[in-house]
Amino acid sequence: MAERTKNKPTPKQRRSMQYSEDIFQLFETIHELISFELDQRGLIKEKKPPKNKPPIMKEKPPEKK
């Protein structure tokens, strides 16, 4: 059996890499669409994380019956 070079991906690896790149591009497109919609609706005011952390609940909230 002939040895392949270490840097040359197999056809299966190339298909997998292309699939991963396509999925990444799809996620990026979805992110842009959602950001655009939120911006249009005025729901994005700051792109910074909040300064104050949310409070930590020490007790469980009462159960609803």
Side-chain angles (χ1 to χ4, degrees):
M1 190 180 335
E3 289 185 34
R4 63 179 185 85
T5 60
K6 291 182 180 181
N7 294 334
K8 186 177 179 183
T10 64
K12 184 178 180 180
Q13 288 173 327
R14 276 188 267 133
R15 283 192 311 272
S16 295
M17 289 188 315
Q18 183 62 48
Y19 178 78
S20 296
E21 289 174 13
D22 291 345
I23 294 294
F24 183 78
Q25 182 63 41
L26 178 62
F27 285 142
E28 189 173 309
T29 302
I30 292 169
H31 181 265
E32 289 172 2
L33 289 170
I34 291 172
S35 294
F36 178 77
E37 269 302 311
L38 292 174
D39 190 42
Q40 290 295 313
R41 295 177 185 198
L43 298 175
I44 296 179
K45 295 180 182 176
E46 291 183 21
K47 297 197 178 196
K48 299 177 185 176
K51 293 181 182 179
N52 298 328
K53 295 182 181 179
I56 299 174
M57 294 182 66
K58 295 185 180 183
E59 298 179 14
K60 294 182 182 179
E63 294 182 15
K64 294 182 180 179
K65 293 182 181 178

